[in-house]
Amino acid sequence: MYFCTQLRRWKMKFADVIGQEETGRRLQMLVEEGRVPHALMLCGPSGSGKMALALAFASRLLCTHGHADSDACETCPQCVMLRKWEHPDLHFTFPTIKLAAMGSEHQPVSDDFAKEWRHLLLQSPYFTLSQWMTEMGAANQQAVITGAESDELLKKLSLKSSQGGYKVSIVWLPERMNLTSANKLLKLLEEPPQQTVFILVCEDPSLLLDTIKSRVQRIDVKRIATSAIEKALTEQRGLDPDTARRIARIAGGSWTHALETLDADNENRLFFDLFILLMRLAYARNIKELKRWTETVSAYGREKQKRLLTYFQRMIRENFVYNFRNADLNYMTAEEENFAKRFCVFINEANVIDISELLGRAQRDIVQNANPKIVFFDLALKLIVLLIRK
């Protein structure tokens, strides 16, 4: 294997956050100048390092020995507890699912999945909702933050700080709150408990109540620069420069996407195989096998189906652009590019827009809970006609 598989332990410091030096300095400045807001919202795309920044900021606030303009010391009693993310004054709120073993009246809360959450954090602060769903053992459920979660958080934050300093509440993906939970959190933000700092880690602020957004200090976290991802891949993962450059370009500013590309068994490998199979069966007009293909992907959960269609849309774009033979315009793995050498001629000016729109409509239908067997079989049949256009 061409890269190091040993994970480097993340040390809850700003210095460990990949490619977000400017935002890290801004957060450190808030502590240094004594301007820590009661509610902060870190907004940015998945994989940009928002959770890593939130954890580094929380660690600095809870550390008792670090200087205002520095990272957490890692040696004081507070930092010792933070190594396992078990500090009594650090509270996590995140989307959860209802498991079959839970009672009919029970609303799931974060404490139900505390063990799984810490396990994920100890591996890395860079993870996706999909990875978290897998950690929880989700099937086809939608993960939400329930009203019961906000009640639990209120109880915790109403208590005095056990260590005599700040109480920090990190809310991951607040856009996943149901309306009851959102209104209860709003009340907490309007009347925050003493010495409490809320850190919201958000990917889609448009889904939040405007009243919540008006009560937080927003900091936008940009996508990670390609050069920063490339450097991290060579230094932390031992990749050769060419492989690191290719993966960094594909990553699109997301460290989690870069790591997924490294994984030989990652989801995109499955999506790539399904894309090849769909295109070959559609071109061969093999209705029987297309129906079997449809049954396979229809068995996936809706979140996975949405990711599948997003991947397909990217592949259509990359294969169309590959016709121009300009390497700077393409963002593919070596395997994807090898397939594109033969397949790109079938994605051209006559069909690229219609195929892209077809995939977009399928994704919209899946989001709106349409029957996946109908959606994917319709997609497969229409591709038969579109692929022969020239």
Side-chain angles (χ1 to χ4, degrees):
M1 196 170 287
Y2 57 79
F3 62 91
C4 176
T5 57
Q6 181 64 40
L7 292 175
R8 186 187 69 162
R9 185 183 179 279
W10 197 77
K11 299 181 179 179
M12 64 192 177
K13 300 177 72 172
F14 287 108
D16 288 327
V17 182
I18 299 168
Q20 298 293 357
E21 292 80 6
E22 182 180 343
T23 305
R25 285 193 294 271
R26 182 176 174 182
L27 291 171
Q28 286 175 299
M29 192 72 71
L30 293 176
V31 181
E32 181 181 357
E33 297 178 354
R35 296 186 296 106
V36 178
H38 82 278
L40 189 70
M41 183 164 71
L42 300 173
C43 296
S46 175
S48 58
K50 303 180 298 300
M51 179 56 80
L53 286 165
L55 292 172
F57 188 52
S59 299
R60 179 61 200 89
L61 291 174
L62 295 170
C63 172
T64 54
H65 290 176
H67 297 291
D69 59 348
S70 68
D71 268 314
C73 71
E74 296 190 272
T75 58
C76 70
Q78 315 303 323
C79 286
V80 171
M81 289 185 282
L82 285 167
R83 288 177 190 169
K84 294 185 178 180
W85 304 117
E86 293 179 344
H87 193 291
D89 293 324
L90 176 61
H91 307 288
F92 291 104
T93 294
F94 42 80
T96 57
I97 58 171
K98 187 161 186 173
L99 298 176
M102 295 176 177
S104 59
E105 300 299 321
H106 179 73
Q107 287 190 52
V109 295
S110 297
D111 283 350
D112 293 330
F113 298 92
K115 181 180 178 181
E116 292 83 358
W117 177 257
R118 290 195 180 95
H119 178 259
L120 200 61
L121 284 184
L122 287 171
Q123 293 180 65
S124 171
Y126 294 87
F127 54 87
T128 63
L129 178 60
S130 172
Q131 290 168 317
W132 172 232
M133 295 288 279
T134 300
E135 190 74 28
M136 286 191 291
N140 295 326
Q141 304 102 312
Q142 297 280 348
V144 298
I145 298 175
T146 65
E149 175 66 36
S150 295
D151 292 335
E152 286 295 311
L153 185 59
L154 175 59
K155 291 178 185 176
K156 294 174 183 176
L157 297 179
S158 297
L159 301 174
K160 286 186 177 181
S161 165
S162 67
Q163 304 299 305
Y166 282 110
K167 292 174 289 183
V168 180
S169 170
I170 296 180
V171 183
W172 183 59
L173 301 186
E175 60 267 39
R176 288 264 171 173
M177 291 185 293
N178 61 26
L179 186 58
T180 301
S181 179
N183 284 323
K184 289 180 178 179
L185 178 64
L186 173 61
K187 197 166 185 179
L188 268 175
L189 294 176
E190 289 175 336
E191 301 174 10
Q194 189 176 11
Q195 270 194 304
T196 298
V197 177
F198 292 91
I199 307 173
L200 278 60
V201 181
C202 182
E203 290 180 4
D204 193 350
S206 67
L207 299 178
L208 284 174
L209 296 176
D210 289 337
T211 43
I212 288 180
K213 290 186 283 188
S214 68
R215 284 163 175 77
V216 300
Q217 179 175 324
R218 174 171 171 170
I219 294 180
D220 289 314
V221 182
K222 300 178 181 178
R223 293 184 182 275
I224 306 172
T226 299
S227 58
I229 293 179
E230 185 176 345
K231 180 181 178 183
L233 287 171
T234 54
E235 293 181 354
Q236 297 183 23
R237 300 289 168 144
L239 268 63
D240 62 87
D242 181 66
T243 303
R245 181 191 63 81
R246 183 184 288 271
I247 291 177
R249 281 169 52 80
I250 294 171
S254 168
W255 179 244
T256 54
H257 193 180
L259 296 182
E260 287 171 352
T261 305
L262 281 177
D263 184 358
D265 297 318
N266 75 87
E267 191 175 66
N268 280 357
R269 177 64 63 85
L270 170 64
F271 291 168
F272 178 52
D273 292 339
L274 288 169
F275 178 79
I276 293 175
L277 183 58
L278 173 62
M279 296 304 155
R280 287 176 175 169
L281 293 175
Y283 185 75
R285 305 185 184 188
N286 191 332
I287 305 298
K288 182 179 179 180
E289 291 300 318
L290 281 173
K291 188 173 186 300
R292 186 174 297 175
W293 181 93
T294 297
E295 291 171 349
T296 297
V297 297
S298 295
Y300 298 152
R302 290 191 183 274
E303 294 292 341
K304 189 171 184 177
Q305 289 167 355
K306 287 189 287 184
R307 296 193 299 274
L308 172 77
L309 289 165
T310 297
Y311 177 84
F312 282 12
Q313 290 174 76
R314 183 176 76 81
M315 288 303 294
I316 292 299
R317 180 264 178 199
E318 296 299 334
N319 276 271
F320 175 67
V321 173
Y322 195 82
N323 287 295
F324 301 109
R325 298 296 191 271
N326 186 336
D328 291 337
L329 298 177
N330 273 118
Y331 300 83
M332 292 188 283
T333 65
E335 277 191 321
E336 290 169 346
E337 185 175 341
N338 188 51
F339 176 70
K341 291 176 183 177
R342 304 182 303 277
F343 178 70
C344 67
V345 294
F346 296 99
I347 307 298
N348 50 63
E349 291 89 346
N351 62 14
V352 63
I353 294 177
D354 286 337
I355 293 177
S356 296
E357 290 179 349
L358 175 64
L359 291 166
R361 287 195 301 272
Q363 189 172 47
R364 179 201 63 198
D365 291 340
I366 291 297
V367 170
Q368 295 176 351
N369 293 323
N371 187 315
K373 287 187 178 180
I374 296 175
V375 172
F376 283 106
F377 195 51
D378 178 70
L379 166 67
L381 293 178
K382 288 177 178 175
L383 276 173
I384 292 174
V385 177
L386 292 173
L387 284 178
I388 61 175
R389 280 190 190 174
K390 293 183 180 179

